[in-house]
Amino acid sequence: MDASTVVGVLVVAGGAALMATGAVRKGRAVRPLRPARARAAAERADSRVLLRAAGMAIASARDAAGHGEPAIVTVEDVMRLTVEHFGRTDVPREQAAAALRRQYERAACATDCVTDAFG
């Protein structure tokens, strides 16, 4: 065998080994390895969903409010949007209220919005 044949065989063997390793692992490298990391990742995902729903609720209330009227944003709006847009039905009211408070402060809603998230 000459050198180019040996290199070709090594390249093919290396590629086959990488494909076999990928088939066996099936993406485990990107999954959390410990239950604590899995829970933390799930909590971060839930938090992002709630913040998005709260932002959508604020934007919707601002669009619905007339000129000079305050936008009324409720925790129920956030919970409804979480179910409708993200399919999350098990959202506790306290978490939805916390997300709405956070978005309320981030979006400077104190000037033109009213909410029940602080009560």
Side-chain angles (χ1 to χ4, degrees):
M1 282 207 249
D2 60 349
S4 64
T5 306
V6 172
V7 170
V9 168
L10 289 175
V11 168
V12 169
L18 285 174
M19 290 189 327
T21 301
V24 170
R25 291 184 61 89
K26 295 181 184 171
R28 277 188 234 146
V30 296
R31 294 184 194 147
L33 300 175
R34 294 186 323 239
R37 286 180 61 191
R39 278 191 301 278
E43 288 172 5
R44 284 191 304 272
D46 290 344
S47 176
R48 281 191 300 270
V49 164
L50 283 172
L51 288 173
R52 286 183 190 144
M56 291 169 61
I58 290 171
S60 175
R62 282 181 167 167
D63 289 343
H67 182 70
E69 294 179 354
I72 301 171
V73 188
T74 64
V75 176
E76 284 76 22
D77 293 337
V78 175
M79 294 175 73
R80 180 180 47 81
L81 287 171
T82 304
V83 171
E84 289 176 2
H85 288 275
F86 303 103
R88 304 283 177 96
T89 58
D90 58 342
V91 176
R93 181 177 169 75
E94 298 81 25
Q95 289 181 0
L100 181 55
R101 285 191 298 269
R102 187 169 170 194
Q103 286 295 85
Y104 185 88
E105 292 167 358
R106 180 182 292 168
C109 286
T111 59
D112 64 342
C113 297
V114 176
T115 185
D116 63 346
F118 291 100

XYZ file of all heavy atoms in Angstrom:
861
model
N 0.834 -1.173 0.000
C 0.000 0.000 0.000
C 0.883 1.243 0.000
O 1.876 1.299 0.717
C -0.857 0.046 1.257
C -2.041 -0.868 1.223
S -3.307 -0.229 2.272
C -3.383 -1.318 3.580
N 0.407 2.235 -0.728
C 1.165 3.484 -0.719
C 0.591 4.427 0.341
O -0.422 4.132 0.981
C 1.172 4.139 -2.106
C -0.219 4.466 -2.614
O -1.195 4.013 -1.995
O -0.323 5.189 -3.623
N 1.210 5.578 0.519
C 0.854 6.502 1.604
C -0.544 7.079 1.447
O -1.278 7.250 2.432
C 1.881 7.634 1.682
N -0.968 7.372 0.227
C -2.296 7.962 0.042
C -3.396 6.967 0.381
O -4.455 7.333 0.904
C -2.451 8.478 -1.391
O -2.386 7.398 -2.308
N -3.189 5.699 0.139
C -4.175 4.681 0.492
C -4.292 4.543 2.004
O -5.401 4.439 2.548
C -3.781 3.325 -0.135
O -3.602 3.496 -1.531
C -4.841 2.289 0.131
N -3.162 4.573 2.679
C -3.160 4.478 4.140
C -3.879 5.681 4.746
O -4.708 5.533 5.659
C -1.713 4.364 4.685
C -1.697 4.473 6.198
C -1.076 3.070 4.223
N -3.614 6.878 4.232
C -4.281 8.091 4.726
C -5.782 8.005 4.470
O -6.600 8.341 5.327
C -3.662 9.350 4.078
C -4.501 10.575 4.379
C -2.236 9.544 4.539
N -6.165 7.536 3.295
C -7.584 7.388 2.972
C -8.291 6.426 3.906
O -9.399 6.671 4.377
N -7.646 5.302 4.200
C -8.230 4.309 5.111
C -8.358 4.899 6.517
O -9.377 4.702 7.197
C -7.378 3.014 5.120
C -7.791 2.086 6.250
C -7.481 2.307 3.780
N -7.348 5.627 6.970
C -7.423 6.254 8.297
C -8.523 7.307 8.371
O -9.230 7.400 9.385
C -6.066 6.873 8.664
C -4.935 5.889 8.976
C -3.625 6.635 9.194
C -5.278 5.051 10.178
N -8.693 8.091 7.322
C -9.755 9.107 7.307
C -11.122 8.443 7.365
O -12.012 8.861 8.121
C -9.605 10.021 6.069
C -10.847 10.878 5.878
C -8.369 10.888 6.191
N -11.326 7.405 6.552
C -12.609 6.702 6.546
C -12.860 6.036 7.895
O -13.969 6.093 8.442
C -12.654 5.675 5.395
C -13.856 4.760 5.526
C -12.672 6.388 4.061
N -11.844 5.425 8.483
C -12.001 4.771 9.781
C -12.299 5.794 10.876
O -13.150 5.556 11.745
C -10.745 3.979 10.132
N -11.628 6.928 10.829
C -11.899 7.990 11.813
C -13.316 8.524 11.683
O -14.010 8.753 12.681
N -13.771 8.737 10.457
C -15.144 9.203 10.234
C -16.166 8.196 10.724
O -17.178 8.545 11.334
N -15.912 6.929 10.463
C -16.829 5.881 10.925
C -16.865 5.827 12.446
O -17.938 5.649 13.053
C -16.411 4.531 10.363
N -15.708 6.013 13.084
C -15.671 6.010 14.550
C -16.446 7.193 15.116
O -17.184 7.052 16.100
C -14.222 6.041 15.037
N -16.307 8.365 14.500
C -17.065 9.536 14.973
C -18.564 9.343 14.788
O -19.362 9.704 15.664
C -16.602 10.791 14.232
C -15.251 11.361 14.650
C -14.853 12.504 13.732
C -15.314 11.841 16.087
N -18.980 8.772 13.667
C -20.410 8.535 13.448
C -20.960 7.504 14.430
O -22.070 7.652 14.939
C -20.649 8.082 12.009
C -20.427 9.200 11.011
S -20.904 8.893 9.294
C -20.605 7.202 9.020
N -20.184 6.469 14.710
C -20.628 5.464 15.675
C -20.747 6.070 17.071
O -21.707 5.802 17.797
C -19.658 4.291 15.688
N -19.788 6.914 17.436
C -19.853 7.577 18.744
C -21.081 8.478 18.824
O -21.789 8.492 19.830
C -18.574 8.401 18.982
O -17.444 7.531 18.919
C -18.610 9.098 20.325
N -21.359 9.225 17.772
C -22.536 10.094 17.754
C -23.826 9.314 17.831
O -24.785 9.724 18.488
N -23.873 8.159 17.159
C -25.085 7.340 17.193
C -25.319 6.757 18.578
O -26.460 6.643 19.037
C -24.982 6.219 16.166
N -24.256 6.407 19.276
C -24.396 5.829 20.614
C -24.778 6.894 21.623
O -25.665 6.700 22.458
C -23.084 5.117 21.033
C -23.116 4.731 22.492
C -22.860 3.895 20.162
N -24.148 8.058 21.561
C -24.391 9.118 22.552
C -25.730 9.812 22.341
O -26.358 10.260 23.286
C -23.266 10.136 22.524
C -21.963 9.550 23.051
C -20.877 10.580 23.104
N -21.193 11.687 23.976
C -20.917 11.738 25.265
N -20.328 10.728 25.842
N -21.229 12.788 25.986
N -26.180 9.963 21.121
C -27.477 10.560 20.779
C -27.688 11.918 21.432
O -28.743 12.210 21.990
C -28.614 9.628 21.139
C -28.602 8.356 20.344
C -29.756 7.471 20.718
C -29.642 6.175 19.950
N -30.582 5.187 20.398
N -26.718 12.766 21.403
C -26.874 14.129 21.898
C -26.769 14.282 23.395
O -27.176 15.302 23.934
N -26.271 13.321 24.106
C -26.189 13.434 25.561
C -25.273 14.548 26.028
O -25.390 15.010 27.138
C -25.712 12.119 26.161
C -26.824 11.143 26.335
C -26.346 9.945 27.099
N -26.682 8.790 26.279
C -25.981 7.701 26.197
N -24.866 7.579 26.865
N -26.353 6.717 25.435
N -24.375 14.997 25.187
C -23.419 16.020 25.605
C -24.106 17.346 25.901
O -23.632 18.117 26.721
C -22.349 16.215 24.538
N -25.235 17.646 25.266
C -25.908 18.914 25.497
C -26.950 18.826 26.608
O -27.480 19.840 27.027
C -26.571 19.440 24.215
C -25.519 19.730 23.165
C -27.582 18.458 23.679
N -27.259 17.650 27.055
C -28.226 17.494 28.145
C -27.536 17.691 29.487
O -26.375 17.347 29.654
C -28.837 16.100 28.110
C -29.685 15.850 26.910
C -30.332 14.494 27.015
N -30.868 14.126 25.722
C -30.927 12.901 25.274
N -30.506 11.902 26.013
N -31.419 12.644 24.095
N -28.245 18.225 30.445
C -27.649 18.326 31.782
C -27.344 16.941 32.335
O -28.104 15.999 32.146
C -28.737 19.000 32.606
C -29.606 19.679 31.614
C -29.542 18.858 30.369
N -26.244 16.833 33.024
C -25.829 15.535 33.534
C -26.398 15.224 34.911
O -26.547 14.076 35.274
C -24.301 15.477 33.591
C -23.601 15.675 32.248
C -22.100 15.714 32.438
C -23.978 14.564 31.291
N -26.711 16.243 35.684
C -27.207 16.020 37.041
C -28.651 16.518 37.149
O -29.038 17.467 36.469
C -26.347 16.792 38.032
C -24.926 16.293 38.108
C -24.183 17.018 39.217
N -24.567 18.416 39.312
C -23.736 19.434 39.179
N -22.474 19.230 38.968
N -24.169 20.677 39.287
N -29.438 15.932 38.018
C -30.821 16.392 38.198
C -30.898 17.854 38.631
O -31.812 18.566 38.226
C -31.360 15.466 39.289
C -30.536 14.240 39.192
C -29.184 14.701 38.761
N -29.946 18.316 39.427
C -29.966 19.714 39.860
C -29.795 20.648 38.669
O -30.465 21.692 38.582
C -28.865 19.962 40.888
N -28.927 20.296 37.737
C -28.741 21.110 36.538
C -29.976 21.067 35.660
O -30.357 22.061 35.047
C -27.526 20.639 35.755
C -26.221 21.040 36.410
C -25.017 20.570 35.639
N -24.985 21.127 34.301
C -24.164 20.718 33.350
N -23.316 19.735 33.587
N -24.182 21.263 32.156
N -30.626 19.921 35.600
C -31.849 19.795 34.802
C -32.954 20.666 35.383
O -33.677 21.341 34.644
C -32.284 18.336 34.745
N -33.090 20.657 36.713
C -34.101 21.507 37.354
C -33.804 22.985 37.123
O -34.699 23.777 36.853
C -34.172 21.213 38.843
C -35.016 20.018 39.201
C -35.278 19.937 40.697
N -34.058 19.856 41.484
C -33.378 18.739 41.706
N -33.787 17.603 41.188
N -32.289 18.754 42.452
N -32.535 23.362 37.236
C -32.154 24.759 37.029
C -32.439 25.187 35.596
O -32.926 26.302 35.359
C -30.679 24.956 37.365
N -32.171 24.326 34.633
C -32.459 24.644 33.236
C -33.961 24.787 33.012
O -34.407 25.693 32.292
C -31.884 23.566 32.318
N -34.746 23.925 33.626
C -36.204 24.010 33.497
C -36.734 25.295 34.140
O -37.633 25.945 33.597
C -36.864 22.794 34.129
N -36.188 25.680 35.272
C -36.614 26.916 35.926
C -36.275 28.136 35.081
O -37.066 29.072 34.991
C -35.965 27.032 37.304
C -36.531 26.072 38.323
C -35.746 26.052 39.625
O -34.800 26.864 39.771
O -36.070 25.222 40.481
N -35.095 28.129 34.457
C -34.736 29.245 33.573
C -35.677 29.318 32.379
O -36.104 30.406 31.974
C -33.288 29.108 33.106
C -32.273 29.489 34.149
C -30.878 29.599 33.552
N -30.438 28.398 32.861
C -29.822 27.381 33.433
N -29.570 27.399 34.743
N -29.448 26.333 32.723
N -36.038 28.181 31.821
C -36.958 28.153 30.685
C -38.335 28.656 31.102
O -38.965 29.437 30.377
C -37.052 26.745 30.111
N -38.808 28.232 32.267
C -40.102 28.700 32.769
C -40.083 30.199 33.010
O -41.044 30.906 32.702
C -40.476 27.980 34.060
C -40.818 26.518 33.837
O -41.058 26.131 32.673
O -40.832 25.761 34.827
N -38.999 30.702 33.550
C -38.871 32.132 33.805
C -38.923 32.918 32.504
O -39.594 33.951 32.423
C -37.571 32.407 34.557
O -37.390 33.793 34.727
N -38.228 32.431 31.476
C -38.254 33.120 30.178
C -39.660 33.143 29.596
O -40.101 34.159 29.057
C -37.296 32.446 29.201
C -35.853 32.818 29.407
C -34.990 32.348 28.252
N -35.024 30.908 28.061
C -34.195 30.050 28.641
N -33.260 30.487 29.456
N -34.286 28.764 28.409
N -40.369 32.025 29.704
C -41.737 31.955 29.188
C -42.631 32.952 29.917
O -43.408 33.680 29.292
C -42.284 30.516 29.307
C -43.789 30.479 29.146
C -41.620 29.617 28.286
N -42.521 33.005 31.238
C -43.350 33.935 32.005
C -43.014 35.392 31.675
O -43.915 36.222 31.560
C -43.183 33.680 33.500
C -43.933 32.477 34.041
C -43.535 32.199 35.477
C -45.425 32.695 33.936
N -41.744 35.701 31.519
C -41.365 37.072 31.171
C -41.875 37.446 29.786
O -42.332 38.573 29.571
C -39.853 37.245 31.250
C -39.268 37.259 32.654
C -37.748 37.274 32.601
C -39.789 38.450 33.443
N -41.814 36.513 28.855
C -42.361 36.792 27.517
C -43.862 37.018 27.578
O -44.393 37.934 26.940
C -42.050 35.636 26.571
C -40.620 35.600 26.139
C -40.399 34.475 25.153
N -38.982 34.295 24.916
C -38.403 33.138 24.713
N -39.121 32.030 24.704
N -37.116 33.052 24.500
N -44.560 36.171 28.326
C -46.008 36.324 28.450
C -46.357 37.654 29.121
O -47.304 38.327 28.716
C -46.603 35.156 29.233
N -45.593 38.046 30.130
C -45.844 39.321 30.798
C -45.598 40.486 29.843
O -46.377 41.450 29.803
C -44.959 39.457 32.033
N -44.545 40.410 29.061
C -44.284 41.454 28.069
C -45.380 41.529 27.025
O -45.794 42.623 26.612
N -45.871 40.370 26.601
C -46.972 40.349 25.638
C -48.248 40.934 26.248
O -48.991 41.658 25.565
C -47.218 38.915 25.176
C -46.108 38.354 24.322
S -46.223 36.576 24.040
C -47.773 36.426 23.189
N -48.492 40.640 27.521
C -49.687 41.168 28.189
C -49.606 42.696 28.298
O -50.599 43.392 28.075
C -49.841 40.544 29.569
N -48.438 43.211 28.621
C -48.268 44.667 28.720
C -48.456 45.312 27.357
O -49.164 46.329 27.224
C -46.884 45.003 29.314
C -46.845 44.615 30.792
C -46.561 46.484 29.143
C -45.472 44.694 31.423
N -47.856 44.738 26.324
C -47.997 45.299 24.978
C -49.449 45.262 24.518
O -49.948 46.232 23.933
C -47.106 44.534 24.004
N -50.128 44.171 24.801
C -51.533 44.050 24.413
C -52.407 45.064 25.151
O -53.293 45.672 24.558
C -52.011 42.629 24.702
O -53.378 42.501 24.440
N -52.146 45.246 26.446
C -52.930 46.210 27.222
C -52.661 47.632 26.745
O -53.588 48.460 26.681
C -52.596 46.076 28.701
N -51.430 47.935 26.402
C -51.116 49.273 25.887
C -51.793 49.510 24.545
O -52.265 50.603 24.270
C -49.604 49.450 25.758
C -48.938 49.733 27.075
C -47.455 49.922 26.919
N -46.864 50.484 28.131
C -45.567 50.513 28.360
N -44.711 50.024 27.476
N -45.113 51.035 29.480
N -51.845 48.482 23.706
C -52.518 48.623 22.415
C -54.023 48.813 22.585
O -54.651 49.539 21.823
C -52.254 47.402 21.537
C -50.829 47.335 21.033
O -50.114 48.367 21.072
O -50.405 46.237 20.597
N -54.599 48.132 23.580
C -56.041 48.194 23.792
C -56.487 49.485 24.486
O -57.642 49.886 24.353
C -56.500 46.996 24.612
N -55.595 50.123 25.212
C -55.959 51.344 25.941
C -56.141 52.496 24.965
O -55.419 52.627 23.978
C -54.881 51.687 26.959
N -57.121 53.308 25.264
C -57.359 54.493 24.449
C -56.341 55.579 24.769
O -55.564 55.491 25.723
N -56.377 56.640 23.975
C -55.452 57.753 24.184
C -55.724 58.408 25.534
O -56.838 58.798 25.839
C -55.599 58.778 23.054
C -54.650 59.914 23.180
N -53.299 59.758 22.978
C -54.843 61.218 23.498
C -52.697 60.923 23.165
N -53.625 61.828 23.470
N -54.705 58.479 26.356
C -54.830 59.091 27.672
C -55.337 58.163 28.753
O -55.422 58.559 29.909
N -55.718 56.956 28.404
C -56.200 55.978 29.384
C -55.047 55.098 29.837
O -54.147 54.790 29.057
C -57.273 55.074 28.766
C -58.545 55.785 28.401
C -59.540 54.820 27.776
O -59.174 53.644 27.540
O -60.664 55.243 27.506
N -55.087 54.653 31.088
C -54.024 53.733 31.535
C -54.264 52.325 30.978
O -55.397 51.904 30.779
C -54.169 53.743 33.053
C -55.594 54.095 33.293
C -55.990 55.022 32.167
N -53.195 51.626 30.718
C -53.282 50.240 30.282
C -53.473 49.373 31.521
O -52.730 49.493 32.491
C -52.017 49.841 29.540
N -54.471 48.510 31.502
C -54.760 47.645 32.636
C -54.224 46.255 32.335
O -54.669 45.584 31.400
C -56.269 47.594 32.924
C -56.773 49.006 33.224
C -56.560 46.644 34.068
C -58.271 49.116 33.322
N -53.241 45.823 33.121
C -52.593 44.522 32.940
C -52.823 43.709 34.199
O -52.495 44.148 35.298
C -51.078 44.679 32.707
C -50.468 43.349 32.337
C -50.790 45.717 31.652
N -53.377 42.505 34.036
C -53.649 41.670 35.201
C -52.792 40.405 35.170
O -52.276 40.011 34.116
C -55.133 41.255 35.250
O -55.418 40.447 34.104
C -56.044 42.466 35.273
N -52.673 39.795 36.313
C -51.939 38.536 36.418
C -52.665 37.462 35.611
O -52.030 36.601 34.984
C -51.777 38.119 37.895
C -51.105 36.764 38.014
C -50.997 39.172 38.653
N -53.979 37.516 35.566
C -54.752 36.550 34.784
C -54.423 36.669 33.300
O -54.419 35.670 32.573
C -56.256 36.747 35.009
C -56.750 36.209 36.327
C -56.396 37.108 37.515
O -56.151 38.320 37.301
O -56.322 36.604 38.637
N -54.150 37.893 32.812
C -53.733 38.067 31.420
C -52.437 37.311 31.152
O -52.290 36.648 30.121
C -53.524 39.546 31.090
C -54.812 40.351 31.128
O -55.899 39.762 30.977
O -54.720 41.587 31.308
N -51.506 37.409 32.073
C -50.225 36.712 31.913
C -50.452 35.208 31.927
O -49.910 34.483 31.079
C -49.236 37.131 33.024
C -47.956 36.324 32.944
C -48.940 38.610 32.949
N -51.259 34.726 32.843
C -51.523 33.294 32.929
C -52.247 32.796 31.673
O -51.936 31.716 31.157
C -52.320 32.987 34.190
C -51.519 33.263 35.463
S -52.459 33.055 36.974
C -52.594 31.285 37.027
N -53.175 33.586 31.160
C -53.908 33.212 29.949
C -52.958 33.133 28.741
O -52.987 32.174 27.970
C -55.019 34.218 29.672
C -55.840 33.918 28.422
C -56.921 34.969 28.202
N -56.431 36.334 28.332
C -55.780 37.016 27.368
N -55.517 36.430 26.219
N -55.400 38.264 27.564
N -52.085 34.130 28.601
C -51.133 34.118 27.493
C -50.126 32.972 27.625
O -49.690 32.412 26.618
C -50.399 35.453 27.420
C -51.229 36.615 26.891
C -50.495 37.927 27.066
C -51.586 36.390 25.438
N -49.780 32.627 28.848
C -48.873 31.509 29.060
C -49.505 30.210 28.575
O -48.825 29.383 27.960
C -48.508 31.395 30.551
O -47.962 32.631 30.982
C -47.493 30.304 30.788
N -50.789 30.053 28.796
C -51.486 28.852 28.330
C -51.670 28.901 26.814
O -51.372 27.940 26.105
C -52.855 28.708 29.037
C -53.673 27.602 28.402
C -52.664 28.450 30.511
N -52.155 30.043 26.299
C -52.486 30.144 24.881
C -51.254 30.064 23.977
O -51.296 29.412 22.939
C -53.222 31.458 24.603
C -54.621 31.499 25.156
C -55.284 32.847 24.933
O -54.666 33.740 24.321
O -56.429 33.008 25.394
N -50.202 30.749 24.329
C -49.049 30.842 23.438
C -47.950 29.828 23.729
O -47.185 29.478 22.834
C -48.462 32.249 23.484
C -49.320 33.264 22.810
N -49.256 33.502 21.464
C -50.286 34.077 23.291
C -50.133 34.426 21.144
N -50.774 34.791 22.240
N -47.842 29.400 24.970
C -46.736 28.524 25.334
C -47.183 27.165 25.852
O -46.351 26.304 26.129
C -45.845 29.211 26.382
C -45.315 30.532 25.909
C -45.866 31.717 26.365
C -44.281 30.588 24.989
C -45.390 32.937 25.919
C -43.801 31.806 24.540
C -44.358 32.982 25.006
N -48.482 26.953 26.036
C -48.998 25.666 26.461
C -48.677 25.284 27.892
O -48.745 24.120 28.251
N -48.338 26.240 28.717
C -48.009 25.961 30.123
C -49.259 26.172 30.968
O -49.724 27.294 31.142
C -46.903 26.897 30.617
C -45.639 26.854 29.800
C -44.844 25.601 30.145
N -43.668 25.476 29.333
C -42.461 25.879 29.692
N -42.273 26.440 30.854
N -41.447 25.717 28.878
N -49.803 25.097 31.488
C -51.040 25.185 32.258
C -50.806 25.182 33.761
O -51.719 25.481 34.522
C -51.969 24.009 31.909
O -51.268 22.795 32.178
C -52.369 24.056 30.454
N -49.628 24.843 34.187
C -49.363 24.678 35.621
C -48.560 25.835 36.208
O -47.708 25.633 37.061
C -48.635 23.365 35.860
C -47.331 23.296 35.075
O -47.170 24.068 34.125
O -46.483 22.460 35.414
N -48.851 27.055 35.774
C -48.108 28.220 36.245
C -48.749 28.738 37.531
O -49.931 29.090 37.539
C -48.105 29.330 35.178
C -47.419 30.570 35.688
C -47.448 28.840 33.914
N -48.000 28.787 38.619
C -48.545 29.352 39.856
C -48.779 30.860 39.717
O -48.010 31.564 39.055
C -47.458 29.072 40.898
C -46.605 28.007 40.313
C -46.680 28.188 38.834
N -49.821 31.326 40.340
C -50.169 32.749 40.270
C -49.032 33.623 40.814
O -48.780 34.698 40.289
C -51.461 32.993 41.052
C -51.917 34.425 41.034
C -53.246 34.604 41.753
N -53.561 36.003 41.964
C -53.971 36.834 41.041
N -54.129 36.415 39.794
N -54.230 38.098 41.315
N -48.354 33.158 41.849
C -47.276 33.955 42.445
C -46.134 34.166 41.445
O -45.563 35.251 41.375
C -46.725 33.278 43.706
C -47.738 33.116 44.819
C -48.642 31.903 44.609
O -48.245 30.938 43.923
O -49.777 31.942 45.099
N -45.802 33.136 40.677
C -44.735 33.277 39.689
C -45.155 34.196 38.550
O -44.354 34.990 38.054
C -44.329 31.912 39.142
C -43.588 31.063 40.134
C -43.185 29.731 39.538
O -43.462 29.434 38.375
N -42.530 28.909 40.351
N -46.409 34.097 38.130
C -46.906 34.985 37.078
C -46.902 36.436 37.561
O -46.537 37.353 36.815
C -48.306 34.566 36.645
N -47.278 36.653 38.817
C -47.266 38.004 39.377
C -45.844 38.544 39.471
O -45.591 39.720 39.172
C -47.933 38.013 40.750
N -44.901 37.697 39.859
C -43.505 38.137 39.949
C -42.965 38.513 38.570
O -42.255 39.513 38.425
C -42.652 37.044 40.574
N -43.303 37.727 37.551
C -42.856 38.045 36.190
C -43.486 39.341 35.706
O -42.821 40.174 35.071
C -43.207 36.901 35.249
N -44.759 39.547 36.019
C -45.426 40.786 35.619
C -44.813 41.986 36.328
O -44.597 43.040 35.714
C -46.927 40.694 35.893
C -47.757 41.912 35.499
C -47.546 42.277 34.042
C -49.233 41.648 35.778
N -44.500 41.850 37.608
C -43.840 42.956 38.332
C -42.500 43.296 37.697
O -42.168 44.469 37.502
C -43.635 42.586 39.801
C -44.888 42.639 40.641
C -44.587 42.532 42.118
N -43.951 41.274 42.473
C -44.610 40.176 42.837
N -45.924 40.177 42.902
N -43.957 39.081 43.156
N -41.750 42.262 37.345
C -40.428 42.491 36.745
C -40.549 43.198 35.393
O -39.833 44.163 35.122
C -39.723 41.152 36.586
C -38.305 41.263 36.148
C -37.614 39.932 36.265
N -36.317 39.992 35.622
C -35.592 38.946 35.328
N -36.030 37.744 35.643
N -34.442 39.074 34.734
N -41.463 42.736 34.552
C -41.654 43.378 33.255
C -42.272 44.770 33.406
O -41.969 45.666 32.632
C -42.536 42.516 32.352
C -41.847 41.300 31.801
C -40.704 41.647 30.864
O -39.579 41.882 31.301
N -40.981 41.673 29.594
N -43.119 44.935 34.392
C -43.745 46.227 34.660
C -42.669 47.273 34.962
O -42.698 48.384 34.443
C -44.697 46.067 35.848
C -45.526 47.270 36.204
C -46.754 47.477 35.613
C -45.096 48.168 37.168
C -47.532 48.566 35.954
C -45.868 49.260 37.522
C -47.086 49.455 36.912
O -47.853 50.535 37.251
N -41.716 46.898 35.789
C -40.632 47.821 36.125
C -39.684 48.004 34.956
O -39.200 49.111 34.708
C -39.888 47.320 37.360
C -40.740 47.381 38.616
C -40.152 46.615 39.780
O -39.087 45.983 39.614
O -40.771 46.633 40.864
N -39.406 46.950 34.217
C -38.488 47.025 33.081
C -39.066 47.900 31.956
O -38.335 48.625 31.301
C -38.202 45.634 32.536
C -37.244 45.636 31.350
C -37.019 44.255 30.807
N -36.279 43.459 31.784
C -36.121 42.159 31.700
N -36.667 41.479 30.714
N -35.431 41.502 32.611
N -40.382 47.819 31.748
C -41.019 48.549 30.656
C -41.466 49.949 31.058
O -42.143 50.622 30.287
C -42.211 47.753 30.137
N -41.109 50.395 32.252
C -41.481 51.731 32.752
C -42.988 51.941 32.649
O -43.465 52.934 32.118
C -40.719 52.815 32.002
N -43.728 51.007 33.180
C -45.186 51.051 33.097
C -45.831 51.944 34.152
O -47.032 52.175 34.088
C -45.756 49.643 33.241
S -45.501 48.648 31.787
N -45.080 52.423 35.100
C -45.666 53.222 36.172
C -46.335 54.480 35.631
O -47.248 55.026 36.263
C -44.603 53.589 37.201
N -45.934 54.944 34.469
C -46.503 56.169 33.914
C -47.824 55.937 33.188
O -48.653 56.825 33.153
C -45.507 56.827 32.937
O -45.205 55.886 31.892
C -44.240 57.231 33.640
N -48.016 54.745 32.605
C -49.217 54.558 31.782
C -49.916 53.213 31.992
O -50.781 52.855 31.220
C -48.869 54.724 30.302
C -47.908 53.669 29.808
O -47.251 53.016 30.619
O -47.833 53.499 28.574
N -49.556 52.457 33.035
C -50.161 51.142 33.264
C -50.660 51.012 34.698
O -50.146 51.661 35.605
C -49.149 50.023 33.011
S -48.545 49.921 31.327
N -51.630 50.121 34.846
C -52.145 49.754 36.165
C -52.141 48.230 36.209
O -52.529 47.566 35.249
C -53.587 50.289 36.362
C -54.159 49.830 37.695
C -53.627 51.786 36.235
N -51.698 47.663 37.354
C -51.654 46.210 37.467
C -52.043 45.766 38.869
O -51.975 46.544 39.819
C -50.255 45.675 37.108
O -50.299 44.249 37.130
C -49.204 46.148 38.084
N -52.438 44.504 38.947
C -52.753 43.909 40.244
C -51.624 43.010 40.743
O -51.783 42.294 41.715
C -54.058 43.110 40.144
C -53.955 41.944 39.175
O -52.990 41.884 38.389
O -54.869 41.114 39.173
N -50.479 43.071 40.098
C -49.366 42.188 40.450
C -48.714 42.567 41.775
O -48.016 41.754 42.366
C -48.313 42.200 39.343
N -48.915 43.775 42.245
C -48.279 44.217 43.478
C -49.164 43.988 44.703
O -48.714 44.174 45.808
C -47.892 45.704 43.379
C -46.791 45.953 42.403
C -47.065 46.410 41.136
C -45.486 45.713 42.752
C -46.052 46.643 40.225
C -44.459 45.943 41.847
C -44.743 46.412 40.585
N -50.385 43.610 44.485
C -51.321 43.476 45.596
C -51.408 42.130 46.193
O -50.823 41.168 46.032
